[in-house]
Amino acid sequence: ELTGEIIADIDNTEFVIIKLSQIVSAAVEEKGSAFKPLRNLEVLKALEEKVPERAKDAIRQAQENSIKRFRSTFESMNEEQRKLLPDYMKHTGGDPTLYMKVFDRIKFEGLNEDAQEHIVAAKEKLLGQFEVRVKEAAEKNPELAKHFFRSLREGTIDDLRVISDIERNFDPTLASHVVEIKNEAREKFQAHLEELDSPEKRREFAKETADRFSDVQQIELFEDIKEALPDDKKEFAEEFGQSVLEGIKRRVEQSKDEKERRTHLRTAVGD
């Protein structure tokens, strides 16, 4: 948080970008565990949410570089090495909701089918561990449980997707603790949609969404959001849902072989 506050006070955009580039380049140096890029990505994701808009590109580029390194390393591992990932997640520390965003991002990077299965298993393991932590906190103090969801209140697509995962996988009595954050996130997201006041802005947003998240879950999210939008804005959500559907079709059609095609279809259907 302190890093974000300091950067927000700096007026020289070029200086900010140069300094951030140096920081994040150092952060993605591959030393230590082969799974360290995941920890780097969690840190970078947290930083992205704290810095001003003008500084985000450097953070996002570092994330892309780290994802590529992780994909290359993970696909080259043998079966036994990949099985160590859930245990690494158990002991690595950090914010589970940020790791869920990272796993969500990685699954669209075209990992081969075998590697993808281990990513899904690691995410499921993470969700289970997170559920236990939330349950223990809720038993002590319900307000304390809400603290675990604090990084989901900004109203980004990433936030809404993680909230959806929590609602689908947590015990309903625990998922209720995220309702307040969900409502806040949805209001902010809906406000953002209403700010897209030209066809060009909506097309740009739709393309960015489809490029990042082309799956059924994203279409369902837009359908859910559409119900809460004013009648004159509902078409926005329909446009975005259609763009995601076209993104799924594009990924499948561009598959280089049958195995990659199956991977894209599985990713589109969901975990």
Side-chain angles (χ1 to χ4, degrees):
E1 293 186 12
L2 180 60
T3 303
E5 291 171 5
I6 291 172
I7 292 171
D9 289 335
I10 298 176
D11 292 328
N12 189 322
T13 303
E14 184 177 356
F15 174 80
V16 169
I17 293 174
I18 291 173
K19 279 302 183 185
L20 275 176
S21 297
Q22 293 172 348
I23 292 170
V24 297
S25 292
V28 297
E29 287 296 324
E30 305 308 323
K31 298 176 181 178
S33 169
F35 299 129
K36 190 188 173 199
L38 289 174
R39 176 60 171 158
N40 293 337
L41 283 162
E42 187 263 349
V43 171
L44 291 167
K45 178 60 74 174
L47 187 57
E48 178 189 353
E49 296 177 358
K50 299 295 181 184
V51 301
E53 190 64 34
R54 66 181 184 274
K56 291 184 185 295
D57 282 347
I59 303 294
R60 290 168 180 158
Q61 185 57 56
Q63 289 180 36
E64 291 301 314
N65 293 340
S66 203
I67 285 174
K68 288 176 182 177
R69 288 190 178 99
F70 175 77
R71 174 187 174 182
S72 176
T73 301
F74 197 66
E75 286 190 327
S76 68
M77 290 179 181
N78 60 41
E79 186 78 4
E80 293 305 311
Q81 290 172 319
R82 289 175 183 167
K83 286 181 179 179
L84 297 175
L85 178 56
D87 190 57
Y88 174 82
M89 297 307 305
K90 182 178 180 180
H91 299 289
T92 190
D95 184 339
T97 62
L98 292 176
Y99 278 118
M100 289 168 66
K101 292 179 185 180
V102 168
F103 278 131
D104 207 21
R105 181 72 182 83
I106 288 173
K107 81 173 188 177
F108 291 98
E109 285 303 305
L111 283 168
N112 65 47
E113 194 169 2
D114 294 335
Q116 187 79 275
E117 288 180 1
H118 286 280
I119 292 295
V120 171
K123 181 181 176 183
E124 290 174 350
K125 185 79 170 180
L126 177 65
L127 271 164
Q129 294 166 355
F130 186 34
E131 183 177 15
V132 170
R133 290 176 62 186
V134 173
K135 181 179 180 181
E136 292 173 348
E139 289 172 350
K140 296 176 182 177
N141 183 344
E143 289 301 314
L144 185 61
K146 295 178 184 178
H147 180 71
F148 286 101
F149 309 117
R150 63 192 181 281
S151 71
L152 304 175
R153 63 172 69 246
E154 294 306 311
T156 65
I157 287 180
D158 304 65
D159 292 338
L160 295 175
R161 288 177 65 88
V162 172
I163 290 170
S164 174
D165 281 336
I166 290 170
E167 289 184 318
R168 286 187 300 161
N169 291 280
F170 273 29
D171 182 284
T173 60
L174 295 177
S176 64
H177 293 291
V178 80
V179 170
E180 182 179 321
I181 300 294
K182 174 185 177 179
N183 291 338
E184 184 177 347
R186 281 186 54 168
E187 286 177 6
K188 289 182 179 179
F189 185 73
Q190 289 166 16
H192 175 63
L193 290 187
E194 294 186 39
E195 290 172 358
L196 302 175
D197 54 5
S198 70
E200 292 76 18
K201 289 181 180 179
R202 293 199 294 273
R203 279 196 296 270
E204 182 179 353
F205 178 81
K207 183 180 184 305
E208 179 187 353
T209 301
D211 287 345
R212 294 182 65 209
F213 301 120
S214 293
D215 63 357
V216 172
Q217 181 185 6
Q218 191 58 51
I219 295 174
E220 291 173 345
L221 276 175
F222 281 136
E223 281 296 313
D224 185 43
I225 289 167
K226 182 176 74 172
E227 298 305 313
L229 287 172
D231 288 343
D232 62 335
K233 298 292 192 303
K234 290 185 185 296
E235 65 181 278
F236 292 5
E238 292 176 0
E239 289 175 16
F240 301 146
Q242 184 61 36
S243 293
V244 173
L245 191 60
E246 291 170 0
I248 294 173
K249 182 179 179 181
R250 185 165 58 249
R251 282 174 182 261
V252 172
E253 290 177 345
Q254 292 176 352
S255 301
K256 64 177 183 291
D257 54 37
E258 181 58 27
K259 192 170 185 178
E260 186 174 282
R261 180 176 177 276
R262 288 200 308 269
T263 297
H264 286 315
L265 285 171
R266 179 175 176 177
T267 300
V269 171
D271 301 340

